[in-house]
Amino acid sequence: QVRLVESGGGLVQAGGSLRLSCAASGLIFAINGIDWYRQAPGKQRELVAGITNAGNTNYVDSVKGRFTISRDNAKNTVYLQMNNLKPEDTAVYYCNARGQLSGTSFNSWGQGTQVTVSS
């Protein structure tokens, strides 16, 4: 239904920046919002940031003021700009598209991109 491809992960020193991209294809019209999640080794996956079709955004407290989620509708892409990165931001980052199709809700996940922050 919806295919998501993440990119932009990598290795960065503490205090550095990365920009993650989440490119969507398929049934774009059915998407209500896209979220970024992350999962560190041995920890549960957590919601980091989200953006709705109306442009409303939300962030987990630990990234407020450092991360910014945005979108480019022409490119069907959502970005996560991450500044002042900390070692505790190390995780695999996933994007998730949530929406509805024929009255049925769905969630589509990307394959993930690794972010490693060294101290």
Side-chain angles (χ1 to χ4, degrees), residues 32-46:
N32 293 330
I34 290 183
D35 303 313
W36 282 99
Y37 286 76
R38 66 186 179 188
Q39 188 165 21
K43 295 188 177 181
Q44 288 189 332
R45 190 172 296 191
E46 69 166 346

Side-chain angles (χ1 to χ4, degrees), residues 18-35:
L18 285 173
R19 188 178 78 159
L20 305 183
S21 299
C22 173
S25 60
L27 302 179
I28 305 296
F29 65 89
I31 298 174
N32 293 330
I34 290 183
D35 303 313

Side-chain angles (χ1 to χ4, degrees), residues 1-6 22-28 30-37 45 94-101 104-112:
Q1 294 171 332
V2 174
R3 181 168 180 258
L4 302 174
V5 178
E6 300 103 332
C22 173
S25 60
L27 302 179
I28 305 296
I31 298 174
N32 293 330
I34 290 183
D35 303 313
W36 282 99
Y37 286 76
R45 190 172 296 191
Y94 301 89
C95 62
N96 170 265
R98 43 187 167 79
Q100 282 197 324
L101 190 61
T104 301
S105 297
F106 68 85
N107 282 280
S108 295
W109 292 89
Q111 82 287 355

Side-chain angles (χ1 to χ4, degrees), residues 19-102:
R19 188 178 78 159
L20 305 183
S21 299
C22 173
S25 60
L27 302 179
I28 305 296
F29 65 89
I31 298 174
N32 293 330
I34 290 183
D35 303 313
W36 282 99
Y37 286 76
R38 66 186 179 188
Q39 188 165 21
K43 295 188 177 181
Q44 288 189 332
R45 190 172 296 191
E46 69 166 346
L47 176 63
V48 176
I51 188 166
T52 68
N53 283 350
N56 298 316
T57 60
N58 62 279
Y59 301 89
V60 67
D61 286 347
S62 60
V63 307
K64 285 181 180 177
R66 300 189 298 123
F67 290 11
T68 303
I69 189 170
S70 63
R71 64 185 186 187
D72 184 334
N73 290 335
K75 295 181 178 180
N76 294 326
T77 299
V78 170
Y79 303 99
L80 185 67
Q81 177 67 45
M82 307 185 294
N83 298 327
N84 190 21
L85 282 159
K86 303 176 180 181
E88 51 264 42
D89 294 317
T90 295
V92 178
Y93 284 70
Y94 301 89
C95 62
N96 170 265
R98 43 187 167 79
Q100 282 197 324
L101 190 61
S102 300

